[in-house]
Amino acid sequence: MSSTLLSRRDLRFLLHEWLDVCRLTERPRYAEHSRETFDDVLDLAERLAVEHFAPHNRAADTSEPTVSGGRVRMIPQVKAALDVFARTGLLAAGMDESVGGMQLPHVVSAAAFGFLQAANVGTSAYPFLTLGNANLLLAHGSAEQVDTYVRPMVQGRFFGTMCLSEPQAGSSLADITTRAEPQDDGTYRLFGTKMWISGGDHELAENIVHLVLARIPGGPPGVKGISLFVVPKILVGTDGALGARNDVTLVGLNHKMGYRGTTNTLLNFGEGVHRPDGRPGAVGHLVGPAHQGLAQMFHMMNEARIGVGAGATALGYTGYLKSLAYARQRPQGRPVGDKDPTAPQVPIVAHPDVRRMLLAQKSYVEGALALVLYCGRLLDEERTAPEATDRERAHLLLDMLTPIAKSWPSQWCLAANDLAIQVHGGYGYTRDYDVEQHWRDNRLNPIHEGTHGIQALDLLGRKATMDGGAGLELLLETIRATVGRAWKADGEAAELAARLGAAVDRIAATTRRLWGTGDPALALANASVYLEAVGHVVVAWMWLEQLLVADTAPPDADPDFYAGKRQAARYFFRYELPRTTAQFDLLDSLDSTTLDMQENWF
């Protein structure tokens, strides 16, 4: 199957020629798999995306969910697609066989899910959130919670959410006020309001499993007093049967610029509209120890952050492929040197500026896809590498890359969508073509699961300094290893290696410069610039890795594909990596312009 969602040829290159995912089948967890099963999963995902997710993408956008009589209404195609998805078993692709999973490598399941995100990011959000919810409970929940909630989620009978933000707190989780009052039977009753809850209410499944951050009275202030609770929309008995409606009430839906097919809700817990056992309060079950809720929720949040980067990549990628197809089909104008007005028009792909825009998109989306899949491969190493030191190394490197994998695709694949609209010209600004919706959908990704600024503070303020800078040193060491291989390869690879090596040195020097002041406010004032510069260096690394693989391909093996890889790498090093020089210069100057700006000067 050939679609304009993701490139199967690029996935084959990244998964097999670069990341060599088949080597994972030598490990016990993945021993039942092979190249054939990996390809079959990708085939299934692409077919599901093309036949069931993509056809209603526009309809879900133009006919977004509404509330009537306290119930959420949406077009029926959403549930129909999710029912088909549940039957495929793809939701549990990476989970243990003991809970109904396939034990597929995460890197392969992430590639497969990318087709669904590219086809219909609004519908794919429901299983996306459910998967993260289930994985958190598998890591931190009790055996009873796994049996009661995870197994039905794996089967597609229950869907899941994450409930963090509150109207008065936003991203500042230290300020949440939802409280959880302990009960004699070991449960808790929750009271409070949660905002921006994606998938917070619908009738797509039998039940919705909310993971809710709340405070147990008497606990420590700030984030140290936050606990995590399972709060189902409908109570579940010990035998798994559905019981009474829990005291969780839909207050309203937020109407978004994009992602319109995903309900985004304001929920009240403990309002008293529904009264389990005749009393107000949403019945919840503590997950793990009390006051460890934020650390536990980060299990889902970090997974979601990389997933957001993957979704941004998918939207950027499909926009690129659609603008490429349009540029090859749309005749307009003639070459600059052709003065004959009677000569036939040429496809716009023949014009250098259109090729510039397409090449920029290609460098962004293929670089982002490489980064996302590399992170997936690290997760597999963290789980299954035979040596403990290798597992620890993968964990540390993945931790370091997470804010970049979330934010870089969210910024630059959105830029790719912007260029896709430009390639379409006036048509791109209409609803007649998909690219305008892709841009609107992708515009959410720099915001949710931690804004661009929050990821910047995480990278510079936490990740770059944790364990005495061990994570940053590991990242730079890993990039330098690629630089060393490229030096040995000589030729163009060595030339690009010199540029990348210099950029890596700038990261190290700039980080020392920023933290050498002893002034955290000054160091972090331009954290977003730091995130963008380091992100560009990381993606340049991804491109050098791809170039090295392309340069070792047999001369007669798909020459156009490999030539395209080399040209995209050249573009990124010549047009994109140089941006970082000015950014590092600004950071090194310890500029305080933004810090010194006063509120009343605006």
Side-chain angles (χ1 to χ4, degrees):
M1 177 178 292
S2 178
S3 68
T4 54
L5 299 176
L6 299 177
S7 165
R8 284 298 295 273
R9 181 63 185 90
D10 194 22
L11 284 173
R12 189 161 72 247
F13 171 82
L14 294 172
L15 292 173
H16 298 295
E17 297 178 51
W18 176 42
L19 296 174
D20 194 13
V21 297
C22 286
R23 288 191 61 187
L24 290 169
T25 62
E26 299 169 5
R27 299 176 182 176
R29 180 176 179 83
Y30 308 126
E32 298 301 315
H33 291 291
S34 65
R35 171 85 180 249
E36 289 183 355
T37 63
F38 295 160
D39 289 344
D40 286 347
V41 166
L42 293 175
D43 287 342
L44 175 61
E46 185 171 15
R47 187 165 63 251
L48 178 64
V50 169
E51 296 176 1
H52 298 280
F53 278 61
H56 70 272
N57 189 44
R58 175 63 70 182
D61 179 70
T62 56
S63 301
E64 59 186 309
T66 59
V67 180
S68 176
R71 297 174 59 187
V72 174
R73 313 282 184 172
M74 65 179 71
I75 60 171
Q77 297 97 310
V78 176
K79 178 171 171 49
L82 292 173
D83 287 346
V84 175
F85 176 76
R87 291 196 293 272
T88 67
L90 286 177
L91 178 66
M95 293 184 187
D96 293 349
E97 289 180 354
S98 61
V99 294
M102 300 180 186
Q103 294 190 184
L104 197 72
H106 182 82
V107 62
V108 178
S109 59
F113 198 75
F115 281 108
L116 306 182
Q117 293 175 305
N120 192 321
V121 74
T123 295
S124 67
Y126 297 103
F128 171 76
L129 290 161
T130 302
L131 177 62
N133 184 305
N135 283 334
L136 184 151
L137 287 175
L138 286 171
H140 300 287
S142 65
E144 180 183 0
Q145 288 167 346
V146 169
D147 287 340
T148 304
Y149 301 108
V150 174
R151 293 184 188 280
M153 284 195 278
V154 168
Q155 297 163 4
R157 293 174 42 229
F158 293 4
F159 283 170
T161 74
M162 54 194 300
C163 300
L164 291 78
S165 299
E166 297 178 8
Q168 82 290 345
S171 299
S172 180
L173 297 179
D175 297 314
I176 67 169
T177 59
T178 297
R179 71 184 191 278
E181 298 181 355
Q183 306 296 301
D184 293 339
D185 63 358
T187 65
Y188 290 77
R189 292 277 175 148
L190 275 70
F191 301 86
T193 299
K194 294 293 181 177
M195 185 72 164
W196 309 117
I197 309 307
S198 295
D201 201 8
H202 52 71
E203 295 183 354
L204 299 170
E206 298 173 24
N207 204 355
I208 301 174
V209 180
H210 301 292
L211 287 177
V212 185
L213 292 182
R215 297 184 181 282
I216 299 172
V223 296
K224 294 181 179 180
I226 295 175
S227 299
L228 180 63
F229 300 87
V230 177
V231 184
K233 177 180 177 179
I234 300 172
L235 298 176
V236 184
T238 55
D239 60 354
L242 296 180
R245 175 71 184 266
N246 206 354
D247 196 3
V248 183
T249 306
L250 173 66
V251 179
L253 298 178
N254 300 302
H255 298 285
K256 307 182 298 296
M257 181 172 73
Y259 257 85
R260 293 177 177 173
T262 307
T263 58
N264 189 271
T265 63
L266 178 68
L267 299 177
N268 277 351
F269 293 82
E271 184 178 311
V273 173
H274 309 284
R275 303 170 69 86
D277 296 326
R279 295 182 291 125
V283 177
H285 305 270
L286 182 66
V287 178
H291 315 313
Q292 298 296 314
L294 190 58
Q296 294 161 350
M297 186 60 91
F298 262 106
H299 187 283
M300 184 174 182
M301 290 166 64
N302 284 333
E303 181 178 329
R305 286 173 174 177
I306 296 175
V308 165
T313 300
L315 287 167
Y317 211 123
T318 189
Y320 159 62
L321 293 179
K322 288 170 182 175
S323 66
L324 175 61
Y326 180 85
R328 285 171 167 165
Q329 297 163 4
R330 167 68 173 170
Q332 184 174 311
R334 294 162 188 84
V336 173
D338 189 343
K339 305 301 183 182
D340 182 3
T342 66
Q345 292 184 319
V346 296
I348 62 173
V349 72
H351 301 307
D353 194 56
V354 172
R355 292 202 296 274
R356 174 191 64 82
M357 292 188 286
L358 292 169
L359 188 52
Q361 289 183 71
K362 180 180 176 69
S363 77
Y364 300 156
V365 304
E366 293 184 10
L369 184 60
L371 174 59
V372 167
L373 295 181
Y374 182 81
C375 288
R377 187 68 163 78
L378 285 176
L379 184 58
D380 289 319
E381 289 298 313
E382 180 187 6
R383 288 175 174 173
T384 66
E387 300 297 329
T389 54
D390 291 333
R391 295 194 298 272
E392 292 165 2
R393 180 183 182 279
H395 173 80
L396 185 59
L397 189 55
L398 181 61
D399 204 22
M400 191 72 204
L401 286 172
T402 294
I404 299 170
K406 191 276 183 188
S407 280
W408 197 93
S410 297
Q411 180 178 5
W412 292 98
C413 291
L414 178 66
N417 289 134
D418 186 84
L419 289 169
I421 291 174
Q422 193 72 14
V423 169
H424 281 74
Y427 288 115
Y429 199 62
T430 69
R431 294 184 182 179
D432 297 330
Y433 290 83
D434 292 345
V435 289
E436 68 87 25
Q437 183 186 340
H438 294 325
W439 188 93
R440 286 188 292 105
D441 286 341
N442 217 350
R443 186 58 186 83
L444 178 61
N445 289 317
I447 298 173
H448 70 164
E449 303 306 336
T451 63
H452 189 71
I454 287 173
Q455 303 305 319
L457 292 172
D458 182 42
L459 179 65
L460 178 56
R462 179 172 173 266
K463 300 298 175 60
T465 61
M466 64 183 179
D467 298 329
L472 180 62
E473 184 56 39
L474 176 59
L475 173 61
L476 302 186
E477 170 193 310
T478 307
I479 299 175
R480 286 186 177 120
T482 302
V483 169
R485 286 168 38 226
W487 271 115
K488 293 179 182 178
D490 206 6
E492 183 178 26
E495 175 193 339
L496 301 188
R499 300 183 191 182
L500 182 57
V504 170
D505 291 342
R506 290 298 303 266
I507 293 176
T510 296
T511 307
R512 289 194 299 268
R513 171 74 170 154
L514 289 170
W515 286 113
T517 65
D519 184 350
L522 181 60
L524 296 172
N526 294 306
S528 290
V529 178
Y530 181 88
L531 171 64
E532 292 170 16
V534 175
H536 252 49
V537 175
V538 165
V539 175
W541 167 41
M542 294 291 99
W543 272 114
L544 186 57
E545 283 277 339
Q546 292 182 77
L547 178 76
L548 289 170
V549 177
D551 280 349
T552 58
D556 58 346
D558 205 352
D560 288 342
F561 174 81
Y562 294 108
K565 281 290 181 186
R566 295 187 191 96
Q567 197 71 356
R570 291 183 194 113
Y571 176 90
F572 199 87
F573 272 81
R574 294 175 183 176
Y575 285 72
E576 296 295 333
L577 187 60
R579 295 174 187 263
T580 65
T581 299
Q583 291 173 317
F584 286 127
D585 287 346
L586 173 67
L587 292 163
D588 287 347
S589 73
L590 302 177
D591 185 79
S592 62
T593 302
T594 57
L595 188 63
D596 295 339
M597 183 64 181
Q598 303 298 307
E599 181 182 346
N600 59 340
W601 295 354
F602 284 104

